[in-house]
Amino acid sequence: MNNNENINESDYLEGLSNANFTDEFRQGVYNTFNIITGKRTSNEIVLERGSDFTFFFMAPDEIPTLEDIEEIMGYLTDYEEYEMCGELNLLYKELKNRGDRK
């Protein structure tokens, strides 16, 4: 990101109300869920949203750790997205059994 993008992102974030920020954050969790579970790519999400800024819970190109997955499950539980939590729980168990991520 260049400096102009940082300024624009900062201005964008400052302009969000608490409700809008909560909505954007929730969408970021959903976006990251879709990437982690292989349902969507970050490019598909960005193109679909068509906005200047698309939120993700974590960088879309990062491999999630078990802790990341636990945090996302915590947020999804808050939103009562139990089916999504179930999918992540299966992924969590699989990764833990393989010892792939800390």
Side-chain angles (χ1 to χ4, degrees):
M1 228 181 247
N2 65 39
N3 287 340
N4 289 337
E5 288 173 331
N6 285 335
I7 292 170
N8 292 336
E9 182 177 347
S10 175
D11 291 343
Y12 178 78
L13 291 173
E14 285 179 18
L16 289 175
S17 68
N18 285 340
N20 287 342
F21 180 79
T22 300
D23 291 343
E24 292 285 351
F25 184 82
R26 180 185 299 199
Q27 187 60 51
V29 172
Y30 291 151
N31 291 341
T32 300
F33 167 84
N34 284 323
I35 292 169
I36 290 172
T37 57
K39 296 178 187 301
R40 313 281 310 279
T41 66
S42 59
N43 287 338
E44 290 172 332
I45 292 168
V46 169
L47 289 173
E48 181 183 282
R49 297 268 303 180
S51 65
D52 292 335
F53 298 102
T54 302
F55 285 87
F56 295 92
F57 180 76
M58 56 186 285
D61 58 345
E62 285 183 20
I63 297 172
T65 64
L66 292 174
E67 184 178 311
D68 292 331
I69 294 172
E70 287 174 338
E71 284 187 52
I72 294 168
M73 284 192 296
Y75 286 112
L76 291 173
T77 298
D78 291 346
Y79 305 140
E80 298 182 6
E81 297 285 3
Y82 304 119
E83 288 181 27
M84 295 170 88
C85 287
E87 286 183 60
L88 286 178
N89 192 44
L90 291 174
L91 177 62
Y92 179 91
K93 288 178 181 178
E94 178 184 323
L95 295 175
K96 189 172 184 176
N97 287 338
R98 287 194 327 213
D100 283 359
R101 296 177 180 89
K102 295 180 181 180

